[in-house]
Amino acid sequence: MQFKLCPLVLIASFATTAAPVSYNGTAQVIEGQATVTKANLFTCQHGQSRTSPTGVKSDNGHEFTVPASLQYQPQYFTADLYNECSGVTPTSIAEVDLSAVPVIEVDNDGEVITGYIFADNYFELFINGKLIGVDPIPFTPFNSNIVRFKVKKPYDIAIKVVDWEENSGLGTENNRGKQYHPGDGGLIASFSDGTTTHAEWSAQTFYTAPIYDLSCATEVGQQRLTNNCNTEGRNSYNRAYSLHWQIPQDWQTNNEYVSWPKSVEFTEQEIGVDNKKAYMNFQQQFSGSGAAFIWSSNVILDNLVLFRYHVK
């Protein structure tokens, strides 16, 4: 796949402020948009793609990359199941040559497992802490991917999933007639050993935006809750905050994080995939295998979600 990185572009960020007393959670609260460090990660060669910027938000000595710190490099790109940008557009699994997908070795005496992944929008997959692959399209058009890896049971799956943003650091995009409209996420995956995404997967959010009223954000134990927050789109910028939590360095391997809150399941209709060929052409491999769309408790405002699952 060909792709183009745009030159460094910097824009002034809105002033940051300390969190108002109405917020009592554990997040670092930062007001305003990010300083853009890369204007666009990806341009579709055979179709249209949304701008996929990355940026930095900082306050009181804390710095966060938005929407996430990435390992977005061509050598890590996963094989395409469906990707109109690279011209891979099969109408069904019968047209896919699975033998052409490289096998990443985790255990040399393990079983070769094939996985199908559809993420809204971007994912990085780790098995027992080893990077298996990353999504070649950070934002749109929607694509789906195949992975193959060799591993012994039991093993641990860790997936970083990012719901991208056009307005860097604000968690919003130009959508539904609004310049500042929050997007929604979603992850579904199935594997040839019978492993599927479902509500028993652990999920934790590490970046939430936009938040217009910080009193709507609460925490109960490890749950970072924003379901009472406003999710309406807006035509112009209004004062907005983002919530950030530091990602543990060992999150892919430390079994402590399997105790994160459980995922929430969403239907295909709630995620909105009926017009996405990258999903519908392979529906049997996804929901047909028993897999469900999962996310944190807020599929709209939570933009960076880490998933853990232990396969026995």
Side-chain angles (χ1 to χ4, degrees):
M1 175 190 299
Q2 294 181 332
F3 70 101
K4 180 172 62 178
L5 297 180
C6 293
L8 180 70
V9 178
L10 297 178
I11 61 175
S13 63
F14 290 96
T16 59
T17 62
V21 294
S22 58
Y23 177 74
N24 297 311
T26 60
Q28 183 71 29
V29 179
I30 305 178
E31 181 188 345
Q33 64 185 12
T35 297
V36 174
T37 53
K38 194 174 294 293
N40 188 28
L41 281 181
F42 174 80
T43 299
C44 185
Q45 298 301 309
H46 303 289
Q48 296 183 343
S49 55
R50 285 180 177 267
T51 301
S52 50
T54 59
V56 172
K57 299 190 75 170
S58 58
D59 185 49
N60 294 328
H62 299 276
E63 183 173 283
F64 299 89
T65 299
V66 291
S69 296
L70 310 172
Q71 299 191 60
Y72 186 75
Q73 300 176 42
Q75 65 265 33
Y76 300 139
F77 288 173
T78 58
D80 295 321
L81 180 58
Y82 188 99
N83 182 346
E84 66 182 70
C85 298
S86 59
V88 178
T89 56
T91 59
S92 72
I93 195 65
E95 299 176 17
V96 178
D97 182 7
L98 295 178
S99 66
V101 179
V103 177
I104 307 300
E105 185 176 288
V106 179
D107 298 312
N108 59 16
D109 57 345
E111 170 190 358
V112 175
I113 295 172
T114 300
Y116 305 94
I117 304 174
F118 178 94
D120 183 354
N121 300 106
Y122 169 87
F123 73 90
E124 296 181 354
L125 170 68
F126 302 84
I127 300 295
N128 288 350
K130 182 169 185 174
L131 179 63
I132 302 301
V134 310
D135 196 334
I137 300 182
F139 200 170
T140 63
F142 288 92
N143 63 315
S144 50
N145 305 86
I146 315 172
V147 295
R148 298 179 77 204
F149 53 90
K150 192 175 185 181
V151 69
K152 294 188 302 183
K153 289 184 177 180
Y155 65 91
D156 289 286
I157 302 176
I159 310 182
K160 174 187 289 187
V161 188
V162 180
D163 176 30
W164 219 272
E165 56 191 7
E166 285 181 295
N167 302 309
S168 188
L170 298 179
T172 57
E173 60 194 51
N174 187 350
N175 202 355
R176 303 180 187 180
K178 305 291 185 180
Q179 181 65 40
Y180 298 88
H181 200 292
D184 53 6
L187 168 70
I188 191 169
S190 69
F191 300 87
S192 58
D193 64 349
T195 302
T196 60
T197 49
H198 49 71
E200 288 304 305
W201 284 51
S202 302
Q204 185 59 285
T205 182
F206 286 85
Y207 168 42
T208 298
I211 301 294
Y212 297 107
D213 176 5
L214 284 164
S215 66
C216 72
T218 61
E219 294 184 20
V220 178
Q222 294 190 75
Q223 296 183 76
R224 298 163 180 174
L225 304 173
T226 52
N227 288 329
N228 293 325
C229 297
N230 189 307
T231 59
E232 295 178 355
R234 305 191 177 198
N235 286 316
S236 59
Y237 174 77
N238 299 105
R239 173 176 287 186
Y241 301 93
S242 53
L243 307 180
H244 306 264
W245 291 265
Q246 292 286 356
I247 295 177
Q249 289 187 347
D250 60 348
W251 74 272
Q252 305 101 325
T253 56
N254 190 330
N255 285 334
E256 171 187 346
Y257 306 121
V258 177
S259 67
W260 279 338
K262 297 301 183 184
S263 297
V264 176
E265 292 187 9
F266 297 88
T267 66
E268 293 173 334
Q269 291 71 32
E270 288 172 317
I271 300 298
V273 292
D274 60 336
N275 63 344
K276 295 177 174 59
K277 294 180 180 179
Y279 178 83
M280 296 302 296
N281 287 5
F282 312 97
Q283 192 174 22
Q284 185 58 38
Q285 280 65 51
F286 292 115
S287 61
S289 71
F293 275 99
I294 57 173
W295 201 249
S296 62
S297 60
N298 196 324
V299 74
I300 298 176
L301 297 183
D302 291 344
N303 304 311
L304 169 57
V305 178
L306 305 185
F307 295 91
R308 287 290 309 271
Y309 187 69
H310 181 68
V311 179
K312 298 179 181 179

